[in-house]
Amino acid sequence: MQPTGVLETSKATNPLKALLNYGQSMWLDYIRRDLITGGGLKKMIEQDGLRGMTSNPSIFEKAIAESSLYDDMLKSLASRRDLDATGRYEQIAIRDIQDVADILRPVFQESKFRDGYVSLEVSPLLALKTKETIDEARRLWKAVNRENVMIKVPGTAEGLPAIRQLIGEGINVNVTLLFAQEVYEKVAEAYIAGIEDLAKRGGKLKKTASVASFFISRIDTLVDSIIDDKLKTTTDAQQQTLLKSLKGKIAIANGKLTYQGYQRIFSGPRWDALAAKGAQTQRVLWASTSTKNPAYRDVMYVEELIGPDTVDTMPPATIDAFRDHGQVRASLAENVASAQKVMDDLAKAGISMKEVTTKLTTDGVKLFADAFNKLLAVVEKSTQEKGQNA
């Protein structure tokens, strides 16, 4: 089924469109064949101000498993003995990614190569392998053959040199699975070093783009669970008050401080020299923006992180909610001192942000790998079924 409301006529004043007035681009964290072929994607560009799209194995798995939209492709791939499940999945994904890139191309041109991108992920099974990640990113970049595609690479320790190498070759990169401020800063450094490499090679700096996908709601989900556990064993009234005051606050505070890092890193003589040659900053992209806790406002992770030179990628339900009742203001630069206090209070409460972000990264790599394996199993099963029915 099409997500409810995605194609509804937008209101006279659409909060989604208004985000661009504050320097933020709205991207869609979703892909499915009927959105491409049924005109839905074009409507979202026109009515909601959609500026780009992201995909991942989990999204593709749902699209293939929960619809008949890919039956024609699966049937035609059943006779391809030269392809394994990964090869068949790539044929399906590349077709969708190419078609989305073509629909987004006017946005790409109008924004002077700042927006209009669609992302395709390197196999999550390679998250801890540098050379293999580089090789696969190059292969996917060549296979899609669209200048407004971004190849997703995880921001693991092994991913960092891959990011620099790929940017240095002029391959657009969406760095995914970022949770920690210090890791984000290493990613930004890898990007800048890559741009410097590209400049030395005489590459096109203006047409090389990257985003750093910083995950939001997953942080509160984990920290809140740690707080709940501590509250069960803490009898100190002051400590209980402190712990309760931190629930639902960490993800946004962490994002605000990360953005301060972005502003610091992409300024000064080193960056100015590259900007003079046409280089784009690597924007922070807010990912995992759906609210997992029903006690929280369903658009809080959008409303509280609005600011210049950012991207917010939202799943369909969050887009629907924000279109309906989202409130737009320049929130990202608000209360930065308060954000720092929240992080300081977290440490006072005995919760290590480093341990939280390390666990989230490790778990994220596993979740993405599990989703990829599930996707391959669905593709294999569906291909066999369609082949038998052919």
Side-chain angles (χ1 to χ4, degrees):
M1 292 292 290
Q2 182 65 35
T4 56
V6 164
L7 305 184
E8 286 177 4
T9 305
S10 48
K11 298 184 296 183
T13 305
N14 188 335
L16 292 164
K17 262 192 164 176
L19 289 170
L20 202 56
N21 298 332
Y22 291 82
Q24 186 168 83
S25 297
M26 187 269 286
W27 291 7
L28 172 64
D29 191 27
Y30 181 78
I31 196 166
R32 213 172 82 157
R33 192 72 197 152
D34 53 350
L35 191 64
I36 300 164
T37 57
L41 183 55
K42 284 184 179 175
K43 278 190 182 177
M44 290 186 74
I45 293 167
E46 292 162 9
Q47 297 178 3
D48 293 326
L50 183 73
R51 310 284 288 174
M53 280 179 77
T54 49
S55 70
N56 63 44
S58 182
I59 290 171
F60 269 113
E61 186 266 322
K62 285 189 178 73
I64 295 166
E66 296 174 8
S67 78
S68 57
L69 297 163
Y70 296 88
D71 286 4
D72 61 331
M73 191 82 164
L74 289 163
K75 196 175 287 185
S76 71
L77 290 170
S79 60
R80 291 282 303 272
R81 301 297 170 207
D82 58 316
L83 296 175
D84 58 7
T86 303
R88 292 189 182 104
Y89 152 67
E90 284 182 5
Q91 293 290 312
I92 292 166
I94 287 168
R95 179 180 69 164
D96 275 8
I97 295 292
Q98 287 174 328
D99 290 348
V100 168
D102 292 343
I103 293 169
L104 284 169
R105 187 160 183 85
V107 177
F108 177 69
Q109 298 282 14
E110 169 268 317
S111 67
K112 295 184 170 60
F113 325 124
R114 195 67 165 152
D115 278 314
Y117 294 93
V118 57
S119 299
L120 178 62
E121 189 148 356
V122 163
S123 167
L125 306 178
L126 305 178
L128 305 180
K129 298 178 179 179
T130 302
K131 183 183 181 300
E132 290 87 339
T133 292
I134 293 168
D135 290 345
E136 178 147 321
R138 285 172 177 154
R139 185 175 60 76
L140 291 174
W141 172 259
K142 192 174 178 182
V144 176
N145 193 28
R146 298 292 188 277
E147 56 184 351
N148 58 326
V149 70
M150 284 188 177
I151 305 300
K152 268 191 176 181
V153 174
T156 55
E158 294 82 0
L160 291 170
I163 293 158
R164 175 175 180 171
Q165 181 65 37
L166 295 168
I167 292 294
E169 294 175 18
I171 294 173
N172 304 322
V173 177
N174 176 341
V175 185
T176 188
L177 267 184
L178 300 178
F179 299 95
Q181 294 172 45
E182 59 269 26
V183 175
Y184 161 72
E185 297 199 3
K186 288 177 183 175
V187 165
E189 166 59 35
Y191 171 73
I192 292 172
I195 287 290
E196 287 171 336
D197 294 342
L198 184 63
K200 285 173 191 165
R201 292 175 186 163
K204 295 178 182 175
L205 272 59
K206 194 172 184 178
K207 277 197 171 184
T208 302
S210 180
V211 291
S213 292
F214 203 79
F215 283 52
I216 303 298
S217 65
R218 289 189 197 185
I219 289 172
D220 277 345
T221 300
L222 178 54
V223 173
D224 284 1
S225 71
I226 296 169
I227 289 172
D228 287 339
D229 289 343
K230 281 184 171 287
L231 285 169
K232 289 173 189 170
T233 57
T234 302
T235 54
D236 182 273
Q238 271 190 315
Q239 189 74 348
Q240 285 187 335
T241 301
L242 178 63
L243 286 164
K244 287 175 184 174
S245 75
L246 294 171
K247 288 193 75 173
K249 300 278 178 64
I250 306 306
I252 290 165
N254 195 45
K256 287 188 175 190
L257 295 174
T258 297
Y259 183 68
Q260 293 294 306
Y262 163 84
Q263 290 184 309
R264 185 181 70 255
I265 292 164
F266 290 97
S267 63
R270 183 185 180 193
W271 177 253
D272 290 348
L274 294 169
K277 295 175 184 174
Q280 300 188 40
T281 61
Q282 180 192 53
R283 287 179 294 175
V284 178
L285 177 149
W286 309 124
S288 182
T289 55
S290 61
T291 307
K292 310 295 191 291
N293 187 334
Y296 299 156
R297 184 168 165 80
D298 59 357
V299 289
M300 67 183 264
Y301 295 118
V302 181
E303 288 180 338
E304 301 303 321
L305 295 169
I306 300 170
D309 290 329
T310 56
V311 178
D312 196 316
T313 184
M314 309 179 208
T318 304
I319 285 178
D320 291 344
F322 198 80
R323 185 195 297 112
D324 180 68
H325 53 264
Q327 295 175 13
V328 183
R329 71 183 200 281
S331 54
L332 191 51
E334 288 177 357
N335 305 319
V336 174
S338 298
Q340 185 59 60
K341 184 179 183 303
V342 164
M343 301 308 286
D344 293 343
D345 285 348
L346 186 71
K348 280 183 195 168
I351 298 172
S352 163
M353 191 62 182
K354 185 168 179 57
E355 287 177 15
V356 166
T357 56
T358 299
K359 178 173 170 50
L360 284 168
T361 305
T362 303
D363 290 353
V365 168
K366 185 180 184 305
L367 282 168
F368 277 21
D370 290 348
F372 192 67
N373 285 325
K374 189 177 176 187
L375 165 66
L376 296 183
V378 164
V379 168
E380 192 61 31
K381 180 172 178 281
S382 300
T383 307
Q384 287 175 5
E385 287 173 357
K386 300 303 175 288
Q388 287 165 5
N389 297 332

